[in-house]
Amino acid sequence: MKVQFEDLEKSDLYIDCIYKGGKAPNMSSEPFHKLIPGCENAGGFRKKLREDGSGKYAYVVLYTSMEELEWPDYLDEETGIFRYYGDNREPGRELD
């Protein structure tokens, strides 16, 4: 299933769905801010706080373009395990 950029604001969240970005060459084409209002739209981990004032997260979205050839993120579709490097793309660097 694919949801086009212009349909994101009225779409539900579906497992294994592809949510398409827009055509502008900037962050306004990023799909998460339309799909999940209030969700951050920069960086690999994008967060949205709950609206009850608790300071807890309602969602944490993990974003990758899957285009980094030397440090390839990978999703094993059978097990659901996602190998994600984020900003940890330096050999020997300690993980935070």
Side-chain angles (χ1 to χ4, degrees):
M1 172 180 210
K2 292 183 184 180
V3 177
Q4 297 303 315
F5 186 72
E6 53 274 2
D7 298 325
L8 291 174
E9 290 177 299
K10 59 184 177 222
S11 177
D12 288 326
L13 295 173
Y14 300 101
I15 295 172
D16 294 331
C17 184
I18 297 172
Y19 299 95
K20 304 292 281 186
K23 295 183 178 16
N26 56 40
M27 291 303 285
S28 68
S29 289
E30 199 277 336
F32 290 119
H33 74 280
K34 287 190 168 277
L35 185 62
I36 304 172
C39 184
E40 296 175 356
N41 68 349
F45 283 94
R46 301 172 185 201
K47 307 168 288 286
K48 179 179 181 334
L49 292 175
R50 291 171 46 169
E51 295 179 2
D52 62 4
S54 68
K56 296 180 181 179
Y57 293 115
Y59 300 99
V60 176
V61 177
L62 184 62
Y63 175 82
T64 180
S65 66
M66 303 292 272
E67 295 176 354
E68 178 64 46
L69 299 178
E70 292 186 35
W71 296 87
D73 297 330
Y74 174 75
L75 173 62
D76 184 322
E77 293 183 22
E78 190 161 318
T79 64
I81 294 173
F82 189 60
R83 181 181 64 217
Y84 176 73
Y85 290 99
D87 294 332
N88 296 303
R89 293 187 171 123
E90 294 177 32
R93 178 179 172 201
E94 292 291 323
L95 299 178
D96 297 331

